[in-house]
Amino acid sequence: MEATIHHALLTLASSLEGVDAVEQLARSFALLAGFDEHVVSDIALATREATVNAIIHGNQQHPGKAISAELDLTAEELVIRITDQGEGFQPEEVPDPLHEDNLLRSSGRGVFLMRQTMDDVHFSKHNTGSTITLRKHRT
C-alpha cells in the first residue's frame, strides 16, 4: 500500500449545499498533486458529478442521511471516494448519453463525464450504502 501524503475526510448532510465544499476540496488536492489546470478542472467536475449523484440518486436528498468524501493523495495517484447511504445502482444500466435518443436529455451524463475525465471509476455497494471511487494517476 502506498503511503498517503495528504488525507481528508469530509462528512456532510445529504444536501446540495455541500457540493461546492467537496468540489473545492478535490480541486485543492489536485493542485497539491501538481496536475495542470485542465486536469484540475476535470477532477473537480468528476468529483462534483459523483457528489451530486450521491445526494440526489443515492440518498434521494433524505435529510437524515449523509455523504462522505474521502481524499487520499499518494506519490502515485489521487483517490477520491464519495459514499452515500442509498441503495446503489447498476452502472451498466445507465443509458448511453451519446445514443441519439439521449442526446437532448437534460441529465444522465455524470457517469460518462467521470469515466472520460478520470483514469479509473469504480462503483461498490456495501451494507450501509454505496461508494464511487475516482482515481487519477500522477504520472
Side-chain angles (χ1 to χ4, degrees):
M1 184 168 182
E2 301 171 42
T4 298
I5 299 170
H6 293 282
H7 174 83
L9 175 62
L10 188 62
T11 301
L12 301 166
S14 193
S15 164
L16 293 175
E17 293 175 9
V19 173
D20 288 345
V22 177
E23 180 183 357
Q24 186 56 44
L25 186 61
R27 180 176 293 279
S28 297
F29 269 62
L31 288 168
L32 283 170
F35 293 116
D36 67 36
E37 186 54 40
H38 176 76
V39 175
V40 169
S41 293
D42 284 350
I43 292 168
L45 173 64
T47 303
R48 183 174 193 86
E49 290 294 333
T51 305
V52 168
N53 284 350
I55 293 168
I56 292 177
H57 302 295
N59 288 351
Q60 299 182 1
Q61 299 189 65
H62 189 288
K65 293 184 177 181
I67 64 154
S68 66
E70 185 172 13
L71 294 86
D72 286 297
L73 178 60
T74 71
E76 302 297 323
E77 63 185 357
L78 172 60
V79 181
I80 302 166
R81 294 176 197 85
I82 307 295
T83 299
D84 63 48
Q85 297 175 320
E87 298 295 321
F89 71 106
Q90 299 298 320
E92 62 275 2
E93 294 179 5
V94 174
D96 178 1
L98 300 180
H99 188 277
E100 64 182 311
D101 291 342
N102 301 325
L103 291 176
L104 299 178
R105 290 183 60 194
S106 61
S107 64
R109 293 175 181 82
V111 172
F112 174 79
L113 288 171
M114 288 180 248
R115 287 183 168 147
Q116 293 299 307
T117 56
M118 301 301 287
D119 292 325
D120 184 55
V121 178
H122 179 75
F123 301 90
S124 59
K125 189 172 178 176
H126 43 84
N127 290 341
T128 58
S130 56
T131 299
I132 182 168
T133 303
L134 309 170
R135 293 181 186 277
K136 192 68 169 179
H137 305 300
R138 296 178 76 182
T139 56

